[in-house]
């Protein structure tokens, strides 16, 4: 019974991660100029943002695949937990050292989301360790 509960928690965490990646990925891939305008930051060459959108969409698809078959997928879950932690810390750094004219909410919101998702992934990874680390 506990294994099923742990699996459910992991799957919820993976879906939340997949949705966050998909939303940001589609934004960076399809309308990067709109995101830069919303942030209030200096214009950036769109190619620098589009490629990251593609990577985020791919990570979202990977999370969905792990959701469908989590057994033995500990390495992927650890990788995305590290990724969200590092991205959240990078945004926290940017939030602390905010540029003049940049909208604070545009940095604060994803910082909080990424650090929360990272916490969920680490927690659910630990809870479902018996599922994730078996072949």
């Amino acid at each position: 019974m506990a294994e099923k509960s742990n699996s459910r928690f992991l799957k919820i965490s993976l879906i939340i991660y997949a949705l966050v990646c998909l939303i940001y990925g589609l934004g960076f891939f399809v309308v990067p100029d709109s995101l830069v305008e919303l942030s209030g930051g200096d214009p950036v060459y769109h190619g620098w943002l589009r490629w990251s959108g593609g990577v985020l969409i791919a990570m979202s698809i990977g999370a969905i695949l792990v959701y469908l078959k989590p057994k033995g997928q500990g390495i992927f879950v650890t990788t995305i937990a590290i990724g969200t932690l590092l991205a959240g810390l990078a945004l926290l750094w940017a939030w602390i050292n905010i540029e003049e004219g940049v909208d604070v909410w545009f940095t604060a919101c994803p910082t909080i989301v990424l650090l929360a998702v990272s916490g969920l992934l680490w927690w659910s990874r630990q809870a479902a360790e018996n599922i994730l680390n078996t072949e």
Side-chain angles (χ1 to χ4, degrees):
M1 184 68 175
E3 185 174 309
K4 194 170 193 167
S5 175
N6 294 342
S7 173
R8 189 175 319 137
F9 181 41
L10 173 66
K11 288 183 173 192
I12 290 169
S13 299
L14 288 168
I15 288 299
I16 291 169
Y17 171 81
L19 288 172
V20 169
C21 283
L22 188 61
I23 290 166
Y24 278 97
L26 287 172
F28 286 131
F29 194 75
V30 178
V31 289
D33 50 337
S34 296
L35 292 178
V36 172
E37 284 178 29
L38 280 171
S39 75
D42 293 330
V44 176
Y45 173 62
H46 296 161
W48 289 111
L49 297 175
R50 286 193 201 282
W51 78 266
S52 60
V55 171
L56 286 170
I57 293 167
M59 296 302 286
S60 178
I61 293 167
I64 292 167
L65 293 174
V66 173
Y67 170 87
L68 295 172
K69 189 177 177 187
K71 190 172 183 181
Q73 299 296 328
I75 292 171
F76 182 83
V77 175
T78 302
T79 302
I80 63 175
I82 291 169
T84 53
L85 177 61
L86 292 175
L89 291 174
L91 285 172
L92 182 62
W93 179 270
W95 187 5
I96 292 168
N97 298 301
I98 201 81
E99 292 179 33
E100 187 176 326
V102 174
D103 289 330
V104 175
W105 73 269
F106 199 80
T107 304
C109 185
T111 301
I112 294 165
V113 168
L114 283 171
L115 291 175
V117 170
S118 181
L120 274 176
L121 287 168
W122 284 110
W123 187 11
S124 64
R125 180 196 168 282
Q126 183 66 33
E129 192 170 23
N130 58 336
I131 298 163
L132 292 171
N133 295 329
T134 58
E135 294 295 322

